[in-house]
Amino acid sequence: KAGVTQTPRYLIKTRGQQVTLSCSPISGHRSVSWYQQTPGQGLQFLFEYFSETQRNKGNFPGRFSGRQFSNSRSEMNVSTLELGDSALYLCASSPELDSGYTFGSGTRLTVV
Amino acid sequence: GQNIDQPTEMTATEGAIVQINCTYQTSGFNGLFWYQQHAGEAPTFLSYNVLDGLEEKGRFSSFLSRSKGYSYLLLKELQMKDSASYLCAGEEGAGSYQLTFGKGTKLSVIP
């Protein structure tokens, strides 16, 4: 059974650009969550999608957005990149609430 | 919301037992997860406690006391490969669908 797949693994962008990250959940998982991980703040919740609907959003500016497609794949977008957006972006999928979250290997974004 | 605290770093000897504590202040709390994360890798699921008490799974055990806002992860017969960060995460309830993580405890296992 394939795990959670995130692409790309590494990305370097310039300040002011925008970026789109992709996440393919485990087959059959309909919930997809996104987290930002930095050395100083640890893992912080960005948003969660279920059946193409955003059910919850964390305390991040509107530059961070996401969506989920009918096949449960999800994308997150960050516009007008800032140096502070450099982080590991992790996606996690779950078949349903309370069933555990399986994380992908993440996309490491560096903003220069 | 939740505030999750855990020690930043710990060191233990190969073959020993180590306990990593996690305290939280929460409203609408649903359950508590422990994840292991090796440097540069994805967090991997270790345990989930929703009821008070001890859950044992091989060399790893996890304990939860909801009334005290306290959990711990117990690692027995430590191996060098157990050197990693251990993340405590509270699951928000009541339709929140999110995990709130502590900043992680970096465990170093020494010979």
Side-chain angles (χ1 to χ4, degrees):
Chain A
K1 191 175 183 182
V4 179
T5 304
Q6 291 189 247
T7 56
R9 284 297 308 275
Y10 302 93
L11 207 48
I12 300 176
K13 289 285 189 179
T14 306
R15 270 183 302 176
Q17 287 187 311
Q18 68 93 27
V19 67
T20 299
L21 311 181
S22 179
C23 172
S24 294
I26 290 172
S27 179
H29 287 196
R30 293 198 290 163
S31 170
V32 174
S33 307
W34 288 89
Y35 291 82
Q36 180 195 65
Q37 186 174 31
T38 58
Q41 298 298 319
L43 275 107
Q44 293 186 289
F45 174 77
L46 282 156
F47 25 65
E48 189 265 353
Y49 288 88
F50 184 87
S51 293
E52 302 180 68
T53 300
Q54 184 182 90
R55 294 196 293 190
N56 196 17
K57 190 177 192 303
N59 295 325
F60 279 81
R63 300 185 297 107
F64 291 81
S65 63
R67 59 177 176 169
Q68 187 181 34
F69 302 95
S70 58
N71 62 359
S72 294
R73 190 177 71 84
S74 177
E75 289 181 346
M76 67 163 282
N77 184 77
V78 188
S79 61
T80 320
L81 284 165
E82 301 177 359
L83 295 179
D85 297 333
S86 294
L88 180 66
Y89 290 88
L90 291 162
C91 165
S93 76
S94 173
E96 61 186 272
L97 188 63
D98 301 344
S99 295
Y101 302 78
T102 303
F103 283 85
S105 297
T107 294
R108 184 162 297 281
L109 171 66
T110 302
V111 182
V112 297
Chain B
Q2 299 188 34
N3 185 28
I4 308 241
D5 291 311
Q6 51 182 129
T8 303
E9 292 184 43
M10 296 182 73
T11 301
T13 306
E14 191 176 13
I17 299 173
V18 70
Q19 178 174 313
I20 302 174
N21 296 325
C22 170
T23 58
Y24 62 89
Q25 297 167 348
T26 184
S27 58
F29 173 79
N30 199 46
L32 194 129
F33 288 87
W34 283 95
Y35 282 86
Q36 179 193 60
Q37 187 177 28
H38 285 98
E41 297 183 12
T44 55
F45 171 80
L46 291 177
S47 68
Y48 175 61
N49 293 70
V50 65
L51 300 175
D52 283 1
L54 187 69
E55 295 271 349
E56 296 188 76
K57 197 182 290 185
R59 294 190 300 116
F60 292 13
S61 303
S62 58
F63 172 84
L64 177 67
S65 169
R66 298 174 71 99
S67 61
K68 294 181 179 171
Y70 169 67
S71 174
Y72 68 73
L73 180 70
L74 192 72
L75 292 78
K76 304 174 188 174
E77 302 169 14
L78 279 173
Q79 301 175 10
M80 299 299 289
K81 67 178 182 180
D82 296 330
S83 293
S85 286
Y86 291 86
L87 308 172
C88 172
E91 184 176 40
E92 303 275 356
S96 161
Y97 314 109
Q98 72 177 75
L99 297 178
T100 300
F101 282 85
K103 293 188 179 178
T105 298
K106 185 177 179 182
L107 174 66
S108 298
V109 180
I110 58 176

